[in-house]
Amino acid sequence: MEIGVVYPQTELRGDPIAVRRIGRAVEELGFDHLLAYDHVLGAVHGDRTPQLTGPYTEHDPFHDPFVMFAYLAGITERIGFATGILVLPQRQTALVARQAADVDLLSDGRLRLGVGVGWSHVEYEALGQDFRTRGVRQEEQIELLRRLFTEPVVDFSGRFDRVDRAALVPKPTRPIPIWLGGSGEKAFDRAARLADGFIFFGGGIDHSVNAWKRLRDRVQDLGRSIDDFGGDYVVLPPGDVRDVTAEIDAWRDAGGTHASVVTMRRGLDSVEGHIDYLASIADALSLS
């Protein structure tokens, strides 16, 4: 099982030096990947209809995952990069294909493209996309992305995108794996049909293990190989290092393929604090 780290961007004040230090530390400590959340804009929550229910506001800093990963690709050699998740339907599909292909090329095949539908209608409006159709649009986008990654010339007419005999050049050297993230039956159904894996957020280890078992059953019922379908558990127990390692062990025992350790919400107020905590996790897991 691969064990990685979630970039703690909401607690590092958008510091560009922190990007370099965390990226290098993740590699030096023996972790396998760095996962980054995605928000283009943070919005004020109060006095809105409908209300915004997500955890981030106008005060939370976010780096663009593609830009950050392209930078880190140049100063690391081994770790993988995962978007967890990129809010795909609020972005232009062809542009996502270009950006993802370049990150994968510049990193020598280290990108895992995790996508989801998001929760902020304010971001969708600001980016000129329809929040209400995000689920069905994402399904169409996944099909188009896979074609752009692999076909010499694409002629595509969908409900949301039209590509008139055009090509993505240069292409990635392999089909970039596309994972889904989210919660609920619609997300699980979409992943079972379309994705290469799923990223589990929240709910704790027992909830995620049960959801993982149900999702694998769905994949198998559709005639797909469960051996080729990945599961990444985002690890954020409320306790200490022993609780983190216990959840990772439980996820491994359940057949999980990836785990991503969160250092946020632990009262760590500096880059050094986050790195020291990761070092304690790496030591407990004997990563280095």
Side-chain angles (χ1 to χ4, degrees):
M1 187 174 74
E2 295 187 9
I3 301 173
V5 172
V6 175
Y7 185 74
Q9 50 194 356
T10 62
E11 296 184 0
L12 296 179
R13 299 174 294 278
D15 182 2
I17 297 174
V19 173
R20 179 173 70 249
R21 294 188 62 192
I22 293 287
R24 284 180 167 165
V26 166
E27 181 157 278
E28 290 166 1
L29 290 170
F31 290 98
D32 295 302
H33 64 266
L34 184 66
L35 181 146
Y37 300 161
D38 167 51
H39 280 286
V40 176
L41 297 175
V44 176
H45 278 218
D47 191 27
R48 288 190 185 277
T49 304
Q51 284 290 315
L52 291 176
T53 58
Y56 306 113
T57 72
E58 76 277 14
H59 300 297
D60 295 302
F62 282 86
H63 298 292
D64 180 88
F66 288 139
V67 175
M68 185 171 75
F69 289 159
Y71 168 68
L72 289 174
I75 61 173
T76 60
E77 297 180 355
R78 179 186 54 80
I79 55 169
F81 303 112
T83 57
I85 49 78
L86 189 83
V87 186
L88 181 59
Q90 69 184 17
R91 296 172 179 251
Q92 298 165 302
T93 315
L95 183 58
V96 170
R98 177 70 274 146
Q99 292 169 321
D102 280 339
V103 171
D104 202 60
L105 287 166
L106 293 169
S107 66
D108 194 22
R110 291 190 270 159
L111 177 65
R112 173 161 48 107
L113 183 60
V115 300
V117 297
W119 52 266
S120 174
H121 59 86
V122 176
E123 279 187 285
Y124 273 82
E125 181 180 27
L127 292 166
Q129 300 298 334
D130 187 350
F131 184 72
R132 296 167 298 178
T133 60
R134 63 195 187 281
V136 66
R137 180 164 192 244
Q138 179 181 243
E139 295 200 15
E140 181 179 295
Q141 287 179 293
I142 291 171
E143 176 189 353
L144 179 53
L145 284 171
R146 288 209 165 104
R147 291 186 60 182
L148 288 167
F149 289 153
T150 59
E151 295 182 11
V153 174
V154 174
D155 192 2
F156 182 91
S157 294
R159 176 179 170 185
F160 304 97
D161 283 295
R162 169 70 176 130
V163 177
D164 183 4
R165 297 161 297 169
L168 185 73
V169 183
K171 299 185 186 309
T173 57
R174 47 141 203 176
I176 296 172
I178 300 176
W179 290 38
L180 264 64
S183 61
E185 297 306 308
K186 288 184 179 180
F188 295 149
D189 174 71
R190 191 174 294 126
R193 290 184 289 108
L194 302 174
D196 298 307
F198 196 86
I199 304 171
F200 294 85
F201 301 93
I205 185 63
D206 293 337
H207 172 82
S208 294
V209 165
N210 289 333
W212 172 230
K213 290 177 179 178
R214 296 198 311 273
L215 179 52
R216 294 180 84 190
D217 288 342
R218 291 192 189 195
V219 170
Q220 196 164 36
D221 290 344
L222 289 170
R224 302 181 61 193
S225 170
I226 59 174
D227 294 334
D228 297 328
F229 191 89
D232 192 339
Y233 172 58
V234 176
V235 186
L236 182 59
D240 58 17
V241 170
R242 289 172 296 179
D243 297 306
V244 172
T245 58
E247 289 203 353
I248 290 174
D249 289 341
W251 187 245
R252 182 186 290 108
D253 291 343
T257 61
H258 299 67
S260 300
V261 176
V262 177
T263 62
M264 292 177 282
R265 303 179 191 174
R266 294 189 174 277
L268 307 172
D269 59 359
S270 67
V271 178
E272 291 79 9
H274 285 275
I275 292 174
D276 288 345
Y277 180 77
L278 289 174
S280 67
I281 297 292
D283 182 63
L285 296 170
S286 301
L287 296 184
S288 55

